[in-house]
Amino acid sequence: MKQLLNERICALFRSNWQHTLTYWSVFFSFGLCVAFLGPTILDLRCQTQSTLQEITLVFFSQQFFLFIGSTIGGFFSKTLVSSLSALAVSSLTISVVFAVIPLCHKLLVLAFAMAVSGLAMGIIDTISNLQLVKIYQKDSTVFLQALHFFVGLGALVSPLIADPFLSETSCVIGNSSTNATSLRDLRNKLAGRHVHNVSNVHLHTDGEVVTNVSYAFWIMAVINLPVPIAILILMYRERLFVCGSDPSRRLLDGDVLAMKTWGTTGLTEDAGHQKDTSRSHEGLFGCCLLGNARSFPLSFFGIHILGGLVLFFSDGIVGSYTGFVYTYAVAPPMNLAHKTAGYLTCVFWAAIIAGRLSAIPLSYRFKSVRLLIVSQVGVIVTLLLLLIFSNSSVFLFIGTCCLGLFISSIFPCMLAFTEDILEYKGCATTVMVTSAGMGEMLLQVLVGLVMHNQGSFSFLLCGMIFGCLGFAAFILLFFLKLYLCVFIGNQTSDLGIECQALPAE
């Protein structure tokens, strides 16, 4: 049976390899945008000749519009042509933004450019996840793990590209200079996207601007250019440019192809799982329209809400940890050297990449729910041990690595698990992506405020609380499905709930 399953997955990939590789490459673009601001922010401050407090507003601009883009991304996913067109425009927009950033000498113009890039990132985030789920459905976990591996890869590459072009001393020449060591420390602090405790740092805003960071952005713009080209090639191969082609063609008009593929592997009885999705996977607002809402029971919305809460807290942990682990490490009682503390964010992202890569083969062998249980318990145990050994700098690095490994696969597994529960009839992907973006934005701000008022120790305590709340939401989701399947039985098919996926065996 497992051999037949592997044959089915391979056959599906062979039938959709160009779509899959395209969505993976688009997520590499997403990753490039995720991590470039932190290392380059001081050079951008010089370029715009703004204060440190003013320039950090571009972080909020990008993050807020990423959330907006995630919310509206589902509207573009109803047809294949609209999905690929939105991805092509969004990925091309990222290259254009990279190219024009060196020309943004006013803070408001730079903030606008970051808002545009954030909007494009949000659209990419929703559509790429959504279309892979539509293609592979019950087999989507493996491909979602690979998709999110490319995010981490892009997030790792962009700081490496920028590093040779960063200013080692003050890039605005005034009456005095800022030494290279203090500037590197400040850059490490800002690399995590946290903006508190920098108001007392004085950097020149008037004087001659000396920075070479423009070359880094132009290199990233060129590196990203093959992505929209690949999307246009895919659109050409799908005959979406030909006059008279059906503009309403959906990605899953390949249902017949999928049924043929499954039939060749001897699993023809599963062909019915490939449902009609003409009314599913709309935008977030489309899911919540009153006319649609009346046709679904409360349990349908409960599944969406609980699934969204899991990712709200897990992505909130990722955002707050990358944002504040440096501040925690250099503050008492840890008191690490600034340069040493700067490696923690790199270790965390490298662990996430390794975790997502290792989760690809694991997804073949284990169901999403089992991987979710191990991952979330691992996150809680790791944060608990970090609290217990809060004076150990060695364990801080070990715990950071373990946390990245455990939390890396929660998003793709949770997305696949929730969609599987709903038999791909709901709006789970749009809700999941939007909830994750909201959690990363809001919980990061919350942790910053708590740390500012209560001290650095509250950093890990907040992470522990978020981890427990996310796991509690997952347990409630699991038992909600169990209750519906056991006590309602056959009526669950009318609710859009798949009971065969229960991991009770």
Side-chain angles (χ1 to χ4, degrees):
M1 184 69 179
K2 190 172 288 293
Q3 181 180 359
L4 293 177
L5 178 64
N6 291 337
E7 290 177 1
R8 184 181 73 187
I9 293 175
C10 291
L12 282 171
F13 178 73
R14 285 195 297 269
S15 301
N16 300 281
W17 66 270
Q18 192 167 1
H19 286 269
T20 305
L21 293 180
T22 300
Y23 299 136
W24 287 351
S25 67
V26 172
F27 243 50
F28 177 79
S29 297
F30 181 87
L32 283 177
C33 283
V34 165
F36 80 88
L37 262 183
T40 62
I41 195 68
L42 293 181
D43 291 85
L44 293 176
R45 182 203 70 84
C46 297
Q47 179 179 296
T48 57
Q49 294 187 295
S50 56
T51 66
L52 196 55
Q53 288 282 25
E54 290 171 342
I55 192 62
T56 49
L57 292 176
V58 300
F59 285 123
F60 176 78
S61 176
Q62 185 189 57
Q63 200 71 22
F64 178 75
F65 278 90
L66 191 154
F67 167 70
I68 298 297
S70 300
T71 303
I72 66 175
F75 288 111
F76 300 102
S77 63
K78 294 182 179 180
T79 64
L80 181 60
V81 63
S82 63
S83 296
L84 293 180
S85 298
L87 288 178
V89 171
S90 298
S91 57
L92 182 61
T93 298
I94 288 175
S95 281
V96 172
V97 168
F98 278 140
V100 302
I101 282 177
L103 308 178
C104 299
H105 298 289
K106 298 294 183 181
L107 180 62
L108 290 179
V109 177
L110 180 62
F112 176 77
M114 291 300 100
V116 172
S117 71
L119 192 66
M121 291 167 64
I123 293 173
I124 287 172
D125 195 8
T126 298
I127 293 180
S128 298
N129 281 287
L130 198 51
Q131 300 295 41
L132 277 183
V133 169
K134 282 184 175 181
I135 292 174
Y136 295 104
Q137 296 206 1
K138 290 183 177 298
D139 303 309
S140 60
T141 308
V142 175
F143 301 96
L144 289 173
Q145 297 283 7
L147 179 73
H148 288 268
F149 163 78
F150 281 94
V151 179
L153 184 63
L156 195 63
V157 166
S158 58
L160 295 177
I161 295 173
D163 186 68
F165 303 100
L166 300 178
S167 301
E168 290 293 337
T169 58
S170 178
C171 45
V172 175
I173 302 176
N175 295 328
S176 60
S177 62
T178 304
N179 63 66
T181 302
S182 63
L183 197 61
R184 281 195 299 268
D185 294 343
L186 187 57
R187 180 174 283 115
N188 286 334
K189 183 180 291 187
L190 289 167
R193 298 190 175 198
H194 46 281
V195 300
H196 71 291
N197 294 335
V198 294
S199 57
N200 60 333
V201 180
H202 175 72
L203 296 174
H204 291 289
T205 58
D206 297 320
E208 181 183 356
V209 177
V210 181
T211 176
N212 295 317
V213 77
S214 301
Y215 297 108
F217 290 113
W218 290 331
I219 290 172
M220 285 188 279
V222 172
I223 289 176
N224 186 65
L225 268 181
V227 176
I229 294 174
I231 298 172
L232 293 176
I233 292 174
L234 177 60
M235 294 179 70
Y236 176 78
R237 286 175 58 91
E238 294 291 332
R239 302 182 183 275
L240 299 178
F241 292 133
V242 179
C243 295
S245 64
D246 183 9
S248 63
R249 177 186 173 191
R250 298 182 179 275
L251 184 60
L252 286 184
D253 277 354
D255 283 351
V256 176
L257 175 62
M259 292 170 66
K260 289 179 180 178
T261 302
W262 291 4
T264 60
T265 62
L267 296 178
T268 54
E269 68 273 12
D270 289 336
H273 286 309
Q274 199 82 355
K275 304 290 184 180
D276 175 33
T277 57
S278 60
R279 294 181 177 269
S280 67
H281 299 98
E282 300 173 354
L284 181 62
F285 298 117
C287 292
C288 302
L289 289 177
L290 185 59
N292 295 337
R294 288 175 177 172
S295 61
F296 296 110
L298 290 177
S299 57
F300 179 85
F301 297 101
I303 291 170
H304 283 85
I305 292 170
L306 291 173
L309 282 175
V310 174
L311 293 187
F312 178 87
F313 289 113
S314 67
D315 268 48
I317 293 174
V318 174
S320 59
Y321 200 86
T322 55
F324 297 104
V325 67
Y326 177 89
T327 300
Y328 170 77
V330 298
M334 198 63 65
N335 291 320
L336 287 182
H338 290 274
K339 185 176 181 180
T340 304
Y343 292 124
L344 284 166
T345 305
C346 296
V347 170
F348 185 68
W349 275 110
I352 287 179
I353 294 173
R356 287 172 177 167
L357 190 61
S358 61
I360 295 174
L362 290 175
S363 298
Y364 277 110
R365 298 182 59 87
F366 304 103
K367 291 187 176 181
S368 298
V369 64
R370 293 178 178 173
L371 294 177
L372 279 168
I373 292 172
V374 172
S375 297
Q376 294 193 89
V377 171
V379 168
I380 294 172
V381 171
T382 300
L383 288 168
L384 179 61
L385 291 176
L386 282 169
L387 279 169
I388 295 173
F389 299 102
S390 58
N391 293 323
S392 172
S393 58
V394 174
F395 192 80
L396 178 60
F397 278 88
I398 296 174
T400 298
C401 183
C402 292
L403 182 63
L405 288 172
F406 282 120
I407 209 168
S408 60
S409 61
I410 290 181
F411 189 104
C413 286
M414 193 65 216
L415 182 58
F417 176 64
T418 309
E419 284 281 16
D420 198 36
I421 292 176
L422 295 168
E423 287 193 284
Y424 311 90
K425 293 179 180 178
C427 314
T429 299
T430 304
V431 173
M432 299 286 106
V433 173
T434 304
S435 299
M438 187 185 300
E440 186 175 356
M441 180 174 62
L442 296 181
L443 295 187
Q444 192 173 154
V445 174
L446 178 62
V447 171
L449 293 174
V450 173
M451 286 184 68
H452 182 71
N453 295 324
Q454 303 297 327
S456 62
F457 186 78
S458 59
F459 163 66
L460 293 177
L461 187 60
C462 286
M464 181 72 178
I465 294 172
F466 297 155
C468 291
L469 290 174
F471 187 58
F474 171 73
I475 293 298
L476 288 174
L477 175 62
F478 177 78
F479 279 104
L480 175 60
K481 176 182 177 180
L482 189 64
Y483 168 78
L484 293 172
C485 292
V486 172
F487 292 98
I488 299 181
N490 294 332
Q491 298 179 30
T492 54
S493 60
D494 299 327
L495 306 179
I497 296 171
E498 174 59 62
C499 290
Q500 294 178 353
L502 268 174
E505 68 274 8

